[in-house]
Amino acid sequence: MRATLRSGPSHPVGNRPPSPVGRACGSPPRRPSPGRPPVRGRRPRGRRAAGTLLPVLAALALLLPGCAVHGSGTEASLTDARPAGAPGTLTAYYDQELDWRDCAPAGFQCATLLAPLDYARPGAGEIKLAVARKEATGPGGRLGSLLVNPGGPGGSAVGYLKAHAGEGYPDEVRARYDMVAVDPRGVAGSEPVRCLDGARMDAHVQVDVTPDDQRERQALVTALREFGQGCQDRSARVLPHVSTVEAARDMDLLRAALGDRKLTYVGASYGTFLGATYAGLFPRRAGRLVLDGALDPSLPSQRVNEDQTAGFETAFAAFARDCTARSACPLGHEPQQVGPRLQDFFRQLDRTPLTTSDQDRDLGEALATTAVIAAMYDEGAWPRLRTALTAAMTEHDGSALLALADAYYERAPDGDYGNLMFANAAVNCLDLPAAFTSPEEVVEALPAFERASPVFGRGLAWSSLNCAHWPVPATGAPHRIEARGAAPILVIGTTRDPATPYRWARSLADQLDSGTLLTYDGDGHTAYGRGSACIDRAVNHYLLTGTPPEAGKRCS
């Protein structure tokens, strides 16, 4: 979470962490060659539901490292960027110097950060992580580095920095901070997880996720097994080591390599879970943290999936009100008509898919549902959705809806898929135990999901089976994050957010010992940089001064 919004071959929002990361032993890593010293001087990707296939919802969890020295209460006091209490086997990682080089587009620099593949065995191999920055522009004294993450899990932070944050963040913020991003392990430039080739993914995203009989249920289970096996076959080395906890520990290595005593960070959607996890592990190294479109790490995966299902229904109700107020709404002119008519349309597609401009791919129910859900992340996409539904429902042309689904899945014109959906499933299925482990459990939960969303509930319930057959066992569990001792942390919630319901932001702000909740009364996923001057002023002031807004502040 999309910020650039979506979910895994389903939807991005998250699941469980890999093998516990604890005190390490082994030989230290090699250090990268020294580089020159640092010069002083598009919307985020929302968290996708956890899964593979249609909008799959996810659950997240905090994995507490077994004997890690960085947990709350055991953290060494800081006198410089490198923690004095770091295990000897991690010293070389903390002491590494980044070798910055100019990279595209102009004005950006790139480097490679080394991290242990397995923090429990740092001498057993390392992983290379892609890092990028845009140096502070001035005027004003440099405040340090501002790390950004657009969510997912699986969204490229480096791509987000180059396409949006490095040029599009407010001038006053970019003047004082070096804008920095690291692709989390398993994502984009950081040894990306790969699972299926383009042809197999084309088949995978069209699998029926509202099975009508035993044969269709078995086809869904088989597809999920094959997806997981594909990830194991193509990404076995990194698959057990892409947890949120490990990504948070990587961020602490980056903080040290950047020379910052504390981490300053803006995370959207899943990025809020990553940022909160960092604060829980390293509370005294947590500086100014903005967590926008927050997740609640205390919830089990089934509850997370049900809540997110209700969130999409809330967003869809807002879309229905907007659509029916316009003369060109293809779903009728009464809000109560919109849901039933869309369900009828989906049922027709389940029986008879529509042709599209791609002669090799028709539009079936699964892809059409993904297209509609993708548009719920951002009210700016509603006009495009209305046009696409009109073409499909009145002209029997599924091309525009197919294009929406393709954008959600990051399918390129040549048929190749980006890494987002693969990384999304890999992280989600490590971060929490599976919501369901069998079709029978899904059937039992269907009434609750359909109450949460008459339109999307059935498909999202079946999609929640996505981690049942994952090849790497989960090691995380739901857990409150308090981060006692951390500086004030700013949590932002949007009242009609489809992917991260507002109640999650309230819960996370309450859990965090120093959490402050900022509310955006509006539609869409996340709030910072989306048009509310009130939100933007509050966030900018916090980033520049460290002072959060007053408790209970609301913006529209």
Side-chain angles (χ1 to χ4, degrees):
M1 55 203 117
R2 174 220 103 75
T4 306
L5 316 146
R6 16 186 141 169
S7 234
S10 75
H11 300 195
V13 151
N15 249 350
R16 13 165 170 160
S19 56
V21 286
R23 189 179 301 277
C25 48
S27 57
R30 69 175 186 273
R31 290 178 56 181
S33 57
R36 56 193 174 95
V39 177
R40 303 294 181 185
R42 149 177 168 132
R43 303 271 312 275
R45 181 179 301 266
R47 178 162 194 160
R48 311 192 177 202
T52 48
L53 289 177
L54 178 83
V56 181
L57 297 156
L60 15 138
L62 169 64
L63 170 64
L64 294 179
C67 55
V69 298
H70 304 305
S72 177
T74 61
E75 180 181 40
S77 62
L78 297 180
T79 56
D80 56 19
R82 178 171 63 82
T89 49
L90 294 180
T91 298
Y93 286 110
Y94 271 101
D95 284 348
Q96 67 185 295
E97 298 177 20
L98 297 175
D99 185 8
W100 293 105
R101 63 193 183 279
D102 292 338
C103 59
F108 288 85
Q109 297 174 316
C110 295
T112 299
L113 178 76
L114 299 180
L117 177 65
D118 183 351
Y119 276 93
R121 299 183 304 131
E126 62 193 22
I127 188 168
K128 297 178 180 180
L129 307 176
V131 182
R133 75 175 177 187
K134 179 92 180 292
E135 291 177 325
T137 60
R142 179 181 174 278
L143 293 174
S145 306
L146 173 55
L147 192 65
V148 295
N149 182 282
S156 171
V158 169
Y160 172 68
L161 175 72
K162 292 182 177 182
H164 174 65
E167 302 285 358
Y169 262 44
D171 291 345
E172 59 267 40
V173 173
R174 292 185 294 110
R176 307 289 300 280
Y177 284 102
D178 292 344
M179 301 295 296
V180 180
V182 57
D183 281 343
R185 48 179 61 210
V187 174
S190 297
E191 301 198 25
V193 172
R194 302 297 299 179
C195 300
L196 303 179
D197 62 24
R200 292 178 67 194
M201 269 298 286
D202 279 347
H204 180 74
V205 298
Q206 296 190 66
V207 171
D208 190 348
V209 289
T210 56
D212 299 314
D213 53 36
Q214 186 58 38
R215 180 186 62 80
E216 291 184 349
R217 288 183 192 178
Q218 186 55 51
L220 174 59
V221 170
T222 298
L224 292 170
R225 286 183 185 274
E226 290 177 348
F227 184 92
Q229 187 58 52
C231 300
Q232 178 67 18
D233 291 344
R234 303 181 70 180
S235 304
R237 183 180 110 89
V238 299
L239 210 58
H241 302 293
V242 294
S243 74
T244 297
V245 164
E246 287 161 311
R249 298 193 67 168
D250 295 340
M251 290 202 303
D252 199 52
L253 297 182
L254 178 58
R255 175 201 55 76
L258 293 168
D260 291 336
R261 184 171 174 269
K262 291 193 174 187
L263 180 77
T264 303
Y265 173 85
V266 176
S269 199
Y270 162 77
T272 67
F273 178 50
L274 180 58
T277 298
Y278 180 91
L281 291 171
F282 310 106
R284 299 188 188 281
R285 289 175 226 161
R288 300 167 190 179
L289 306 186
V290 177
L291 309 180
D292 183 11
L295 289 95
D296 181 354
S298 71
L299 299 178
S301 50
Q302 183 176 338
R303 170 65 184 278
V304 170
N305 293 356
E306 288 182 14
D307 281 359
Q308 199 179 36
T309 298
F312 281 112
E313 186 69 20
T314 297
F316 181 73
F319 165 76
R321 290 191 297 272
D322 179 83
C323 185
T324 55
R326 302 171 186 274
S327 59
C329 181
L331 294 166
H333 297 288
E334 296 294 335
Q336 63 270 24
Q337 296 175 340
V338 172
R341 289 190 177 185
L342 186 63
Q343 288 175 280
D344 287 343
F345 174 61
F346 286 159
R347 282 190 285 266
Q348 292 171 19
L349 293 178
D350 191 28
R351 296 189 297 269
T352 310
L354 290 178
T355 58
T356 72
S357 56
D358 186 335
Q359 61 182 7
D360 297 321
R361 295 188 302 148
D362 291 340
L363 180 84
E365 179 188 15
L367 283 172
T369 305
T370 296
V372 174
I373 283 183
M376 293 302 101
Y377 283 88
D378 183 355
E379 66 273 26
W382 292 355
R384 184 180 176 188
L385 177 60
R386 289 196 308 271
T387 299
L389 285 171
T390 298
M393 299 177 74
T394 65
E395 302 167 22
H396 309 294
D397 182 358
S399 301
L401 284 176
L402 181 64
L404 277 169
D406 283 350
Y408 179 88
Y409 287 132
E410 291 193 344
R411 184 187 190 275
D414 64 2
D416 192 22
Y417 284 77
N419 155 252
L420 172 65
M421 292 304 173
F422 307 135
N424 177 254
V427 175
N428 284 336
C429 293
L430 283 178
D431 276 353
L432 268 195
F436 302 116
T437 60
S438 69
E440 290 72 25
E441 291 181 1
V442 177
V443 170
E444 185 176 348
L446 277 174
F449 276 79
E450 291 179 320
R451 282 193 299 272
S453 174
V455 177
F456 306 117
R458 190 159 172 256
L460 291 177
W462 281 104
S463 295
S464 302
L465 194 60
N466 63 299
C467 292
H469 305 290
W470 196 249
V472 180
T475 56
H479 195 91
R480 288 175 57 85
I481 300 179
E482 298 180 357
R484 294 186 180 277
I489 297 173
L490 181 58
V491 179
I492 307 174
T494 297
T495 56
R496 293 182 294 281
D497 191 315
T500 52
Y502 177 65
R503 68 172 68 92
W504 292 358
R506 284 193 317 226
S507 178
L508 180 59
D510 286 344
Q511 290 173 46
L512 291 167
D513 188 52
S514 60
T516 294
L517 177 64
L518 173 62
T519 298
Y520 174 56
D521 187 1
D523 297 297
H525 184 43
T526 73
Y528 183 46
R530 297 195 62 238
S532 169
C534 173
I535 290 289
D536 292 353
R537 281 195 302 268
V539 174
N540 295 343
H541 182 74
Y542 168 71
L543 289 174
L544 295 173
T545 68
T547 303
E550 67 273 15
K553 183 175 180 62
R554 297 179 72 91
C555 297
S556 59

